[in-house]
Amino acid sequence: MDCLFCNIINKKHDAHVIFEDDSHIVIMDKYPIQKGHSLVIPKIHHEKIIDMTNEEVGALFSKVPDVARGIIAATGADGFNLGQNNGRSANQIIPHVHVHIIPRYQKVGNPWARRMIATDGDLKELAKKIRDNIKSS
Ligand SMILES: [Zn+2]
């Protein structure tokens, strides 16, 4: 099975990694809804959240606050949305469970539908800044 996120986890595909431990990896979204949009991904492949055990789901979401604090510190975001899509009809593009952390900026508003295309240079710089701001609690 060829899965983009498994390939990223196995270092067969590049990504801008902002956090990694034994069980999870966090990367910058290549097509951000807003600056700093990141994805928290469990290393074990499951397609949907309903394929996971409750413990695995708990472990996945327990990574979110530290990363979100890092993103806020690095970007100056005023808030953030969490998104977790399951199935094509729900806009799940990559069939490997992930949680979106989408920073929000008062001055920008909330254009859900519009995405940017980030350059590698921008993502690399911002990924480093967020990495430097992630502290384990
Ligand atoms: Zn996968």
Side-chain angles (χ1 to χ4, degrees):
M1 176 197 49
D2 200 43
C3 168
L4 175 62
F5 288 168
C6 284
N7 285 340
I8 288 171
I9 290 159
N10 295 321
K11 311 298 177 200
K12 291 179 191 156
H13 195 279
D14 281 340
H16 294 279
V17 176
I18 59 175
F19 176 85
E20 183 168 12
D21 64 12
D22 290 346
S23 53
H24 297 82
I25 191 167
V26 186
I27 63 171
M28 307 293 289
D29 194 307
K30 180 75 179 161
Y31 303 98
I33 291 175
Q34 283 297 325
K35 179 182 169 185
H37 182 172
S38 301
L39 307 174
V40 185
I41 307 168
K43 288 190 170 176
I44 296 174
H45 181 97
H46 293 290
E47 184 175 339
K48 298 174 182 169
I49 202 166
I50 51 177
D51 303 325
M52 301 169 72
T53 66
N54 291 353
E55 288 72 24
E56 287 171 330
V57 173
L60 170 61
F61 276 88
S62 75
K63 299 297 172 189
V64 168
D66 287 343
V67 176
R69 284 186 203 100
I71 292 170
I72 289 166
T75 62
D78 300 298
F80 62 97
N81 293 109
L82 298 181
Q84 206 285 306
N85 306 334
N86 296 276
R88 275 254 164 229
S89 63
N91 253 353
Q92 184 180 14
I93 310 297
I94 308 293
H96 180 137
V97 169
H98 53 287
V99 176
H100 295 261
I101 302 176
I102 305 161
R104 294 298 181 183
Y105 304 91
Q106 206 69 53
K107 61 185 187 313
V108 179
N110 198 336
W112 266 108
R114 217 180 69 232
R115 288 204 175 200
M116 304 166 272
I117 297 177
T119 68
D120 275 327
D122 287 347
L123 290 178
K124 185 176 181 186
E125 185 182 324
L126 189 55
K128 185 191 180 318
K129 197 172 174 190
I130 295 172
R131 267 196 307 272
D132 292 346
N133 277 284
I134 293 179
K135 305 168 188 78
S136 292
S137 56

